[in-house]
Amino acid sequence: LDAVDGALGDGEARFALSRPPGHHASRHAADGFCFYNFAAAATAYALDKHELDWVALVDWDAHHGNGLAAYAAEEPRVAYASAHQAPLWPHTGDVAGAEGNCLNAPVGRGANADSYGEAWAECLDFVKTRCRAEGRGLVIVS
């Protein structure tokens, strides 16, 4: 939360190291060694305390962030995008494409750098189009 306050205070990038990242934990349950969803907590804090108009959650992990995706699906001010290997545990996010404010860009096992780069470009384009150019926002990479 200090990183959110700092980034929104002076506009400088911040880094908060939290392992595991928490992207599997949901509001009501731990999952995948994630007991607490740090990125979702930071997002909710930024939206409420700092009265932001939007937050982009970009998930960078081999696994789909099912906890982050569930949070984003409930919060219209959040755009969530994930490039991840599929099929792979937790067996969510296996279908490519956007649904509401969430985008899954799965890549197959052994994908080369070009395939992975294309998936990331798709993620960044998605959050760019979902996040308003106007208003205050924040990008959180999980």
Side-chain angles (χ1 to χ4, degrees):
L1 302 181
D2 290 340
V4 170
D5 289 338
L8 293 170
D10 63 18
E12 293 293 319
R14 294 296 196 277
F15 181 81
L17 180 62
S18 60
R19 292 302 299 166
H23 69 164
H24 296 302
S26 69
R27 289 184 186 267
H28 306 291
D31 195 10
F33 300 105
C34 298
F35 295 98
Y36 189 75
N37 196 323
F38 297 103
T43 299
Y45 177 78
L47 289 168
D48 294 340
K49 182 175 187 255
H50 292 279
E51 300 178 345
L52 297 184
D53 297 302
W54 56 267
V55 172
L57 282 171
V58 183
D59 198 18
W60 182 11
D61 193 271
H63 304 99
H64 178 251
N66 53 318
L68 277 181
Y71 171 73
E74 297 173 357
E75 174 53 74
R77 297 173 291 173
V78 174
Y80 170 78
S82 175
H84 52 274
Q85 182 180 324
L88 187 66
W89 188 91
H91 305 290
T92 57
D94 291 351
V95 177
E99 184 175 326
N101 57 337
C102 297
L103 172 79
N104 294 312
V107 295
R109 182 173 185 237
N112 63 26
D114 289 340
S115 296
Y116 197 66
E118 289 170 12
W120 270 108
E122 185 179 357
C123 288
L124 297 177
D125 285 345
F126 178 81
V127 296
K128 181 180 169 184
T129 60
R130 293 293 189 277
C131 299
R132 298 183 291 250
E134 299 175 15
R136 294 183 64 224
L138 179 68
V139 176
I140 295 177
V141 179
S142 170

